[in-house]
Amino acid sequence: MGSVITPVILCGGSGTRLWPLSRKSYPKQFVPMIGDGSLFQQSAQRFSGAEFAAPVVVTNADFRFIVTQQLGEVGIDPGPVLIEPEGRNTAPALLAAALVVAEADPEAMILAAPSDHYIKDANAFRASVEAGRVAAEAGRIVTFGIVPDRPETGYGYLELGDGDAGDVVLPLSRFVEKPSLDRAQEMLDQGGYLWNSGIFLYAAKTLIAAFERHAPAMLEQVRAAVTQAQADLGFLRLAPEPWAQCEDISVDVAIMEKFDALSVVRHAADWSDLGGWEAVLQHSEADADEVACQGPVRAIECKGSLLRSENDGQQLLGLGLENIVAVAMPDAVLVADRSRVSELGDAVKAMRKADIAQADTFPKDHRPWGFFETLILGGRFQVKRIVVNPGAALSLQSHMHRAEHWIVVAGTAKVTIDDEVKLVGENQSVYIPLGAVHRMENPGKVPMELIEVQTGSYLGEDDIIRYEDVYARGQGAKG
């Protein structure tokens, strides 16, 4: 075994094809979809251990605390967490990570992977990574091709070059765009084609040199964004001005399709990018009638269906359903024919255009200190459940349009109201007048939970003025 490999995990996406479970405010990589933990946590654990360095994560400002919290929950201490000022696709993101890694060691091996893939057998994939190491150390860029078991139109393909059909590592001839069904069947019958997983192994210096040759303008822009980056509470915020000049382009198009030293590792185990509910059904445990259920679900005389309830207190009953996807959440329900679930992205866009809040946001809103969820929303009042992590604190803040009542139901809250600081225990309450400068903290070692009742003329999250914040979020709904 050679030197350790540095995983680079990309998790800035906002996939809508798994709505309502995946939304812009909390996308699929952070959701328990299949197996234990979120897809992001599974990805980080898959690439951890003695043969891997601490992961480098590329994400955006909204997800930065979710990333560190979820890594902490599985006992992984990350390396640099890079914050993109805006999404510019995978080419700038992977280049920025390579430049950061190369500062310490230009020879370092990098394994670049999305955070939302499902790989059932982590050991088998780690073996595939090790198989590709020699080629990567020799200056090649190695990708991982999945042996197809059906004519799939949702994936790009890799055409293999000349080589022994029994070899695990083969030269890569070319990338093939997502095909029609007929063309996908032809490639399956012909052989010599693999699904493109979008996972790459290379030396940091190899990728940088590839950009220097094939995308020198982007190299200059991303290098400036990294050089001018600002450290922020353990995160590295890439400089927005040079970053905005980067072309919005995938690394496949910018580099891989032009690079002349590509290899592919043939991986024959279970893999999916979980690009939609059909893929989730394919990889879920199903009964003899091909019905997969999760949560409080009862299926009666159903066939070929996926039924999920994401709330322990919400029972979902499927009666006589066939080829249906039904996903129930407290604020939104999806019921769709399996043949139509690929159209979910367009459906969510239509909801967004109609200003339907559920298109993008959840009632539960994750924050660096914990989370809150809206229980009831009226014209001039709102009831929230707020959970604050041990040792965490909300910002010192005030509101111009609302007053608040806090009732502690679990743990103890340390409450600041103007110049007064006091402890509020279980079954005790406190009133926050409109305009008062206030803060709540959890001084204990267990989560603190309270019910907040807001009253006022405007109840939006952007009615907030921050005076102090341990998370340096600035102003705005989330900062």
Side-chain angles (χ1 to χ4, degrees):
M1 183 182 298
S3 60
V4 295
I5 295 171
T6 299
V8 170
I9 303 177
L10 304 178
C11 59
S14 59
T16 56
R17 289 182 294 169
L18 287 167
W19 187 91
L21 189 56
S22 172
R23 307 185 205 178
K24 184 178 180 180
S25 67
Y26 203 73
K28 67 172 180 174
Q29 60 264 33
F30 301 121
V31 175
M33 194 68 66
I34 297 178
D36 296 329
S38 70
L39 295 175
F40 170 62
Q41 289 173 320
Q42 291 177 24
S43 296
Q45 290 176 301
R46 187 179 306 128
F47 306 133
S48 64
E51 65 268 43
F52 294 100
V56 175
V57 180
V58 185
T59 187
N60 61 45
D62 286 347
F63 302 152
R64 65 195 189 279
F65 293 110
I66 298 173
V67 162
T68 53
Q69 179 180 340
Q70 290 207 350
L71 288 176
E73 288 172 356
V74 294
I76 293 177
D77 188 16
V81 178
L82 310 185
I83 307 301
E84 295 180 286
E86 58 183 297
R88 306 303 290 168
N89 215 315
T90 56
L94 291 180
L95 176 56
L99 289 169
V100 170
V101 172
E103 288 178 1
D105 181 10
E107 307 283 340
M109 286 289 109
I110 289 176
L111 180 68
S115 60
D116 55 0
H117 287 186
Y118 171 70
I119 297 176
K120 185 175 183 179
D121 190 337
N123 289 329
F125 196 83
R126 284 194 286 263
S128 291
V129 171
E130 193 59 33
R133 179 194 284 271
V134 172
E137 290 176 341
R140 300 183 71 83
I141 293 178
V142 178
T143 187
F144 297 84
I146 311 301
V147 177
D149 59 7
R150 61 186 184 276
E152 177 61 58
T153 61
Y155 300 146
Y157 283 69
L158 305 170
E159 182 179 350
L160 301 176
D162 295 332
D164 189 328
D167 289 344
V168 175
V169 184
L170 292 162
L172 176 59
S173 176
R174 68 185 180 99
F175 291 80
V176 180
E177 293 298 318
K178 295 177 182 178
S180 66
L181 182 59
D182 289 343
R183 178 57 182 146
Q185 185 65 58
E186 288 177 8
M187 289 189 287
L188 183 65
D189 294 340
Q190 180 181 338
Y193 292 88
L194 305 174
W195 291 336
N196 180 8
S197 71
I199 302 174
F200 299 96
L201 179 68
Y202 46 77
K205 67 176 185 180
T206 300
L207 189 72
I208 295 169
F211 273 90
E212 191 168 19
R213 178 177 179 183
H214 299 293
M218 183 175 292
L219 176 59
E220 180 180 351
Q221 293 150 357
V222 175
R223 182 171 276 142
V226 171
T227 302
Q228 300 169 29
Q230 299 292 318
D232 176 10
L233 296 177
F235 306 107
L236 191 64
R237 287 184 178 270
L238 300 171
E241 291 80 7
W243 190 260
Q245 299 172 24
C246 294
E247 184 179 0
D248 187 336
I249 189 172
S250 72
V251 74
D252 289 27
V253 175
I255 299 299
M256 302 306 174
E257 293 178 357
K258 304 169 185 175
F259 196 71
D260 56 5
L262 291 167
S263 295
V264 58
V265 176
R266 187 200 310 266
H267 184 74
D270 198 14
W271 167 91
S272 175
D273 70 351
L274 291 187
W277 286 116
E278 184 66 23
V280 174
L281 177 56
Q282 290 171 358
H283 293 275
S284 298
E285 292 186 10
D287 62 18
D289 292 316
E290 298 182 350
V291 175
C293 297
Q294 181 163 324
V297 170
R298 175 80 170 170
I300 300 174
E301 297 181 3
C302 296
K303 296 181 180 179
S305 295
L306 174 66
L307 307 178
R308 292 176 67 122
S309 175
E310 301 298 327
N311 188 327
D312 290 340
Q314 186 176 40
Q315 180 69 37
L316 174 61
L317 173 66
L319 176 60
L321 302 179
E322 188 167 348
N323 296 323
I324 292 294
V325 172
V327 182
M329 301 193 70
D331 67 325
V333 177
L334 168 69
V335 181
D337 191 283
R338 283 177 58 185
S339 66
R340 304 290 299 274
V341 290
S342 61
E343 303 170 31
L344 255 180
D346 292 335
V348 172
K349 288 179 183 177
M351 288 194 296
R352 188 179 296 139
K353 189 174 181 179
D355 292 326
I356 297 173
Q358 288 90 334
D360 290 321
T361 59
F362 288 97
K364 179 182 284 189
D365 196 325
H366 294 263
R367 298 297 172 97
W369 42 260
F371 70 86
F372 70 80
E373 58 183 332
T374 298
L375 304 179
I376 303 173
L377 178 60
R380 293 181 59 89
F381 75 94
Q382 181 171 205
V383 181
K384 289 181 177 180
R385 171 181 173 236
I386 299 177
V387 176
V388 183
N389 296 327
L394 280 68
S395 61
L396 185 67
Q397 60 187 250
S398 66
H399 310 294
M400 295 183 64
H401 301 286
R402 70 175 185 256
E404 297 172 342
H405 301 254
W406 295 344
I407 304 100
V408 176
V409 296
T412 299
K414 180 181 178 182
V415 176
T416 299
I417 305 174
D418 291 327
D419 296 328
E420 181 184 7
V421 180
K422 61 182 178 181
L423 295 178
V424 182
E426 291 183 18
N427 299 318
Q428 294 181 323
S429 63
V430 65
Y431 173 63
I432 314 296
L434 186 151
V437 176
H438 61 281
R439 166 183 276 158
M440 81 171 73
E441 305 172 57
N442 180 0
K445 298 187 180 301
V446 297
M448 183 270 290
E449 184 172 347
L450 60 81
I451 301 300
E452 177 182 84
V453 180
Q454 301 177 354
T455 57
S457 60
Y458 178 72
L459 306 172
E461 286 302 313
D462 54 348
D463 176 22
I464 181 172
I465 301 172
R466 289 192 179 93
Y467 303 97
E468 295 176 8
D469 183 35
V470 296
Y471 306 107
R473 286 170 292 172
Q475 301 301 328
K478 290 191 176 183

